[in-house]
């Protein structure tokens, strides 16, 4: 049986201290440093799961690691531990859920000695629970109990890492709608269960933060921007708020899915990614400066001040759906968001029953009702949509016929919002998953279709949800080693302890710190920008751990792709009098393709073209642009051929063929003359 907890991870300052600019060494408490993965369970040599994401340490401490002269102070809130969730997205779109507690922990004496750090110093550390299940509440509760147990004056009945090992390896993932798993951390009892598969997707979060931060109109505006796949940047001074709001809005667009870059908590040094030209949803701490970025077209959502700004218009939801959606939300939320919406209505004139309803604390019933309100919105907006799905292998949708039918019913011209939504990746993904297919609809867990049918029959919308009358089976996970020790020994800690290290690991640790101490004594203290420090800097590849190298490579890949996207769009916007072959954009793209031994530049350039096609580009090129793009693709294919990179060759030829078919200038010799001459064809023969 799969386990609910995949990893327990500790991140913080590593043996090889580096600044955020990747300069090795310690430069005082005014500088921020790169976090490293310090400890984990299961250990790195296990084969149960894939290793933790390489960027995990960077993401869980997004500001980096800071050093302090003091630790926790009950009179200083800035020293209190901080709890927050984060969500990571893998290449296949699957999500990894992480609960974090960041706190100040003493710097290890051997590290302080090697880098001449002041004695009794503290630095940021973060403990994390990693899971494939979106069980945010139990992830947070379990992590908080471990943290409390570590620093409790009463101590624990067994070593802390033994407690962690038992919890991670023994607590199973509950069966959806069937099981309730009970387990204990020392003497604290916790439980976890998962909703049935035929209901709404598992959302183990409260939607209250979303409606507390945004008034109803701004909530609808954000919802529309997400639905139309704009570039969306959430800002807040609370890490937890960024993740909770991002996850909540993704659940409100059900049964559709966000198909683009999704980084609810962006690490501070990744701020340049905000200028990426493709759709994304990112969250950034409000303390990070973005004044040097263009931000053109970005929908900036300030969660602290209930404010949304953008340079591009967001087409409104059409009537009558807009009034209905707003009215339904107001009925549910008004008493709970009165602090934000009080200027929009007179609270004193509220009916008595609404005032009484307002006394009820926000709970799971409110979450469910809010999600149903948005599902009913889709049921109305897409009324009768199944009649316009053509019987083909890819479930093609007749947009124009649907829009004409709607115009006749509403006596209004086609609405831009609906037209844009029908062309979105989210709607196309919905069709490709076959959820709207009428022939096997009875076998699909498609609550949108079920709701449309229920409304047509005059039934209550909640009738589409599975019954909650079935009692779950209780699965109890006990730890036989707790409470039976005759010695009554207790384990207490003044810092978060390290996991057990073998003698070989200890020797490697001593060698790394000895080398660091020698380098420090040789070079003396320099500022990070010191020329002597930059000249003497060790190569990253030789000194970073495999995990750090993987994280560094992932950052590099994302950085190259962002640069390529911007360069590609600017190349297409060159004026009629400008020669693309002589442009900065062409030269830089060519350099990125030619200079990259791993092929990131070539494959990234091909991916840029493919994404641009998917976003609706009709492949119109001037003769000069055509020549430039042709030369870049030829170079990408040639480089891929030399690496035997068949995937990039295939993708490049596919986009070339697609551009040839769509090219408005009908350059007839595109494939024959420019691509068939490549040596790859002879080699394949």
């Amino acid at each position: 049986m799969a386990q609910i907890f995949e990893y327990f991870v500790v991140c913080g300052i590593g043996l090889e201290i580096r600044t955020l600019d990747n300069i090795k060494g310690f430069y005082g408490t005014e500088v921020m440093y790169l976090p490293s993965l310090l400890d984990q369970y299961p250990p790195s040599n296990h084969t149960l799961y894939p290793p933790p994401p390489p960027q995990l340490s960077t993401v869980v401490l997004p500001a980096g690691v800071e050093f302090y002269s003091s630790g926790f102070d009950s009179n200083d809130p800035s020293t209190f531990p901080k709890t927050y969730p984060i969500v990571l997205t893998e290449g296949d779109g699957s999500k990894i859920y992480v609960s974090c507690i960041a706190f100040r922990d003493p710097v290890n004496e051997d590290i302080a000695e090697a880098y001449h750090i002041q004695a009794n110093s503290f630095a940021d550390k973060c403990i994390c629970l990693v899971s494939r299940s979106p069980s945010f509440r139990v992830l947070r509760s379990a992590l908080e109990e471990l943290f409390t147990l570590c620093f409790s004056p009463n101590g624990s009945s067994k070593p802390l890492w033994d407690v962690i090992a038992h919890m991670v390896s023994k607590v199973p993932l509950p069966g959806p709608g069937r099981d309730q798993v009970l387990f204990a951390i020392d003497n604290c009892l916790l439980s976890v269960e998962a909703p049935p598969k035929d209901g709404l997707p598992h959302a183990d979060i409260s939607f209250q933060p979303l409606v507390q931060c945004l008034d109803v109109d701004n909530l609808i505006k954000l919802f529309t921007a997400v639905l139309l796949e704009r570039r969306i940047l959430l800002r807040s001074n609370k890490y937890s708020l960024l993740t909770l709001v991002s996850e909540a809005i993704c659940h409100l667009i059900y049964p559709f899915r966000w198909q683009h870059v999704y980084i609810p908590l962006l690490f501070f040094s990744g701020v340049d990614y905000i200028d990426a030209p493709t759709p994304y949803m990112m969250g950034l701490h409000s303390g990070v400066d973005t004044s040097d970025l263009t931000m053109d077209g970005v929908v900036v959502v300030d969660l602290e001040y209930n404010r949304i700004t953008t340079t591009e218009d967001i087409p409104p939801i059409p009537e009558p759906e807009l009034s209905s959606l707003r009215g339904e939300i107001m009925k549910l939320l008004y008493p709970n968001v009165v602090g934000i919406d009080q200027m929009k209505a007179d609270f004193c004139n509220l009916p008595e029953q609404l005032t009484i309803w307002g006394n009820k604390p926000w709970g799971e019933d409110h979450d469910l009702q809010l999600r149903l309100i948005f599902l009913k919105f889709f049921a109305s907006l897409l009324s009768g949509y199944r009649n316009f799905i053509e019987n083909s292998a890819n479930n093609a949708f007749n947009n124009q016929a649907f829009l004409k039918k709607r115009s006749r019913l509403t006596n209004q011209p086609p609405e831009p919002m609906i037209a844009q939504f029908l062309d979105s990746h989210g709607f196309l993904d919905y069709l490709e998953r076959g959820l709207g297919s009428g022939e096997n609809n009875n076998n699909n867990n498609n609550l949108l279709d079920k709701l449309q049918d229920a409304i047509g029959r005059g039934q209550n919308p909640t009738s589409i949800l599975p019954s909650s009358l079935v009692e779950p089976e209780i699965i109890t996970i006990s730890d036989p080693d707790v409470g039976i020790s005759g010695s009554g020994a207790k384990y207490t800690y003044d810092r978060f302890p390290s996991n057990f290290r073998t003698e070989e690991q200890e020797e490697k640790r001593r060698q790394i710190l000895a080398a660091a101490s020698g380098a420090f004594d040789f070079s003396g203290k320099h500022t990070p920008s010191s020329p002597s420090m930059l000249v003497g800097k060790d190569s990253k590849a030789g000194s970073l751990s495999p995990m750090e190298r993987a994280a560094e490579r992932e950052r590099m890949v994302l950085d190259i792709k962002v640069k390529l996207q911007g360069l590609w769009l600017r190349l297409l916007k060159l004026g009629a009098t400008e020669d693309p072959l002589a442009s900065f954009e062409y030269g830089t793209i060519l350099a990125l393709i030619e200079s990259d031994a791993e092929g990131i530049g070539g494959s990234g350039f091909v991916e840029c073209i493919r994404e641009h096609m998917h976003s609706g580009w009709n492949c119109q090129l001037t003769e000069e642009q055509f020549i430039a793009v042709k030369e870049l693709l030829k170079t990408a294919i040639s480089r891929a051929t030399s690496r035997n990179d068949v995937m990039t060759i295939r993708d490049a030829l596919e986009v070339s063929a697609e551009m040839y078919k769509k090219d408005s200038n009908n350059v007839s010799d595109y494939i024959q003359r420019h691509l068939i001459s490549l040596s790859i064809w002879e080699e394949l023969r």
Side-chain angles (χ1 to χ4, degrees), residues 7 36-37 40 44 51-57 544-553 555:
Y7 281 101
S36 299
L37 195 153
Q40 67 178 69
S44 57
Q55 74 275 28
L56 182 65
S57 60
L544 294 180
S545 68
M547 182 70 71
E548 289 170 328
R549 281 199 298 272
E552 186 65 28
R553 185 183 186 280
R555 285 194 292 268

Side-chain angles (χ1 to χ4, degrees), residues 415-447:
E415 297 98 345
M417 181 267 168
I418 301 182
Q420 291 183 28
F421 171 59
L422 296 180
D423 285 332
S424 68
H425 285 235
F427 187 71
L428 294 177
D429 165 72
Y430 175 79
L431 295 176
E432 288 172 0
R433 285 182 283 144
L435 294 182
S437 177
E439 60 189 55
N440 59 356
N441 183 48
N442 292 332
N443 298 325
N444 280 328
N445 177 31
N446 187 341
L447 293 186

Side-chain angles (χ1 to χ4, degrees), residues 359-427:
N359 293 329
K360 183 179 179 181
W362 184 277
E364 293 183 3
D365 288 344
H366 298 80
D367 294 332
L368 176 61
Q369 290 302 319
L370 185 64
R371 298 176 75 182
L372 284 175
I373 286 170
F374 279 88
L375 188 60
K376 285 191 289 184
F377 159 77
F378 285 120
S380 174
L381 189 77
L382 297 174
S383 176
Y385 83 100
R386 281 173 281 177
N387 298 326
F388 299 90
I389 298 177
E390 299 174 351
N391 291 325
S392 60
N394 58 356
N395 289 332
F397 188 76
N398 193 330
N399 292 19
Q400 295 304 316
F402 178 81
L403 291 171
K404 287 180 181 178
K405 187 262 322 187
R406 181 177 167 86
S407 293
R408 288 195 301 270
L409 292 177
T410 61
N411 199 27
Q412 297 290 333
E415 297 98 345
M417 181 267 168
I418 301 182
Q420 291 183 28
F421 171 59
L422 296 180
D423 285 332
S424 68
H425 285 235
F427 187 71

Side-chain angles (χ1 to χ4, degrees), residues 50 68 116 153 191 240 247 283 356 365 389 393 407 427 464 640 658 681:
Y68 310 92
H116 296 191
S191 72
S240 58
E247 282 291 289
I356 295 172
D365 288 344
I389 298 177
S407 293
F427 187 71
I464 67 172
E658 191 68 19
W681 297 111

Side-chain angles (χ1 to χ4, degrees), residues 464-486:
I464 67 172
L465 300 176
S467 172
S468 59
L469 300 178
V470 179
E471 288 294 325
E473 179 183 351
I474 305 297
I475 300 176
T476 303
I477 306 300
S478 59
D479 186 348
D481 296 333
V482 173
I484 64 173
S485 173

Side-chain angles (χ1 to χ4, degrees), residues 55-228:
Q55 74 275 28
L56 182 65
S57 60
T58 303
V59 176
V60 301
L61 288 169
V65 174
E66 185 174 356
F67 284 82
Y68 310 92
S69 59
S70 61
F72 171 75
D73 182 352
S74 59
N75 296 317
D76 183 0
S78 68
T79 69
F80 291 3
K82 297 176 177 62
T83 302
Y84 48 92
I86 64 171
V87 179
L88 303 176
T89 308
E90 300 216 277
D92 61 359
S94 61
K95 290 182 177 181
I96 299 174
Y97 304 91
V98 187
S99 184
C100 308
I101 296 181
F103 57 99
R104 297 183 182 185
D105 209 38
V107 178
N108 288 345
E109 287 77 5
D110 54 354
I111 293 179
E113 181 180 353
Y115 288 94
H116 296 191
I117 300 171
Q118 181 180 349
N120 301 319
S121 292
F122 292 77
D124 291 317
K125 184 173 282 186
C126 185
I127 58 173
C128 316
L129 271 175
V130 181
S131 177
R132 300 279 171 166
S133 169
S135 302
F136 286 103
R137 289 183 173 92
V138 75
L139 287 173
R140 172 173 176 161
S141 298
L143 194 65
E144 289 179 343
E145 286 302 324
L146 289 172
F147 183 81
T148 302
L149 185 63
C150 174
F151 294 105
S152 168
N154 298 325
S156 58
S157 58
K158 56 190 294 189
L160 186 66
W161 278 95
D162 288 354
V163 177
I164 293 168
H166 178 268
M167 183 190 76
V168 173
S169 60
K170 299 298 184 182
V171 180
L173 189 68
R178 301 194 314 268
D179 306 328
Q180 182 181 16
V181 177
L182 302 179
F183 65 100
I185 297 178
D186 213 54
N187 293 318
C188 177
L189 185 65
L190 299 173
S191 72
V192 59
E193 52 188 313
K197 283 186 175 180
D198 53 349
L200 289 166
H202 191 185
D204 192 25
I205 58 170
S206 171
F207 289 72
Q208 187 177 19
L210 173 64
V211 299
Q212 282 182 328
C213 293
L214 299 176
D215 63 30
V216 175
D217 292 329
N218 276 341
L219 170 59
I220 293 175
K221 191 172 185 178
L222 171 60
F223 169 77
T224 308
V226 172
L227 212 56
L228 300 185

Side-chain angles (χ1 to χ4, degrees), residues 242-289:
L242 294 171
T243 298
L244 292 175
V245 169
S246 298
E247 282 291 289
I249 203 70
C250 284
H251 280 290
L252 292 184
I253 66 171
Y254 172 84
F256 307 98
R257 303 187 299 194
W258 179 256
Q259 294 289 298
H260 305 278
V261 173
Y262 181 69
I263 311 177
L265 183 53
L266 181 65
F267 51 95
F268 290 16
S269 57
V271 67
D272 289 342
Y273 300 160
I274 293 169
D275 272 341
T278 52
Y280 60 72
M281 192 189 308
M282 299 186 192
L284 184 65
H285 191 276
S286 53
V288 180
D289 183 21

